[in-house]
Amino acid sequence: MDRRTTIKWMFAAAAAMPSLKTFGYTPAKLALDVAPNLPGYGTDPDLVKEWKPGGPWPLTLSAPARALVAALCDLIIPADDVSPAASSVGVVDFIDEWISAPYPEQRADRQIVLPGLVWIDAEADKRFGKQFAELNDAQRSAIADDICQPAHAAPQFQTAANFFATFRDLTAGGFYTTPVGMKDIGYTGNVPLERFDGPPLEALKKAGLA
């Protein structure tokens, strides 16, 4: 099974399972300064009229952090014969918006993602003497393979594995809610019909109605 197929299955399963959200590292060098403990955020902004990058709230990721996020996104969902890589359809922007938003769920993910990015860059430097974005695919995969399954991660990688699970959820969520991602999994959404003849006989029989 290739990674893309695995991610599709994971994304479907993620909707039914709570994310693991524990991480003990202190956010540091990769984050721009966004005020912690923001006051009440009032009404939601009208994103149709007002949205622009960094408009509703300050964005978080610096240029090096965006390069790191792009590299990790594309390791999780690389380009294939069907679709482009995750970073090419705006997933980096999505993740930056997500972890910058003031809402409770997004603030909780922020506390996992930012320390995780710091950890993975430090791990890349420790193993290969480079930042994660500068590694080749084999080197990136060597790190990811140690943290891609929280249930099987070694004790020293458990916290990083929890980060990776959250980051993978965000990457898949960003990618598969784009038109490209929806096409990739064959989701067509609501389609107008010229006429509706009622539920098919097979469905009625299964429901005990025919």
Side-chain angles (χ1 to χ4, degrees):
M1 181 186 304
D2 62 28
R3 173 168 281 138
R4 178 178 293 273
T5 301
T6 302
I7 293 300
K8 288 178 185 175
W9 288 11
M10 178 281 303
F11 185 49
M17 294 189 297
S19 297
L20 300 170
K21 302 180 184 300
T22 55
F23 213 109
Y25 292 88
T26 301
K29 61 180 182 179
L30 291 175
L32 298 179
D33 185 22
V34 175
N37 303 319
L38 292 173
Y41 40 78
T43 58
D44 292 333
D46 185 343
L47 298 179
V48 175
K49 296 180 179 178
E50 302 173 5
W51 186 87
K52 62 180 180 179
W57 36 72
L59 296 179
T60 300
L61 299 178
S62 62
R66 288 180 62 86
L68 166 55
V69 168
L72 193 53
C73 284
D74 291 351
L75 182 66
I76 294 170
I77 302 181
D80 65 6
D81 294 337
V82 177
S83 301
S87 68
S88 67
V89 296
V91 173
V92 176
D93 297 321
F94 165 75
I95 291 176
D96 200 1
E97 291 282 358
W98 183 273
I99 64 172
S100 301
Y103 310 110
E105 181 180 359
Q106 283 77 6
R107 303 307 289 186
D109 284 344
R110 175 188 177 88
Q111 297 307 313
I112 298 171
V113 170
L114 293 182
L117 295 177
V118 172
W119 178 88
I120 206 165
D121 233 2
E123 188 70 10
D125 183 63
K126 176 183 175 183
R127 296 193 192 190
F128 305 109
K130 297 179 180 178
Q131 293 184 326
F132 187 80
E134 299 171 332
L135 303 182
N136 60 40
D137 288 344
Q139 291 169 329
R140 293 173 182 174
S141 294
I143 296 175
D145 287 346
D146 286 334
I147 60 175
C148 65
Q149 298 185 66
H152 299 95
Q156 67 270 28
F157 296 125
Q158 192 61 57
T159 306
N162 294 338
F163 149 72
F164 192 84
T166 295
F167 191 92
R168 184 172 49 197
D169 285 355
L170 291 176
T171 299
F175 182 82
Y176 288 112
T177 51
T178 64
V180 168
M182 291 180 187
K183 182 179 179 181
D184 191 11
I185 58 175
Y187 177 73
T188 58
N190 294 325
V191 178
L193 302 173
E194 293 185 0
R195 51 181 256 180
F196 179 63
D197 297 325
L201 181 60
E202 293 80 2
L204 292 174
K205 287 181 177 178
K206 188 171 184 179
L209 301 175

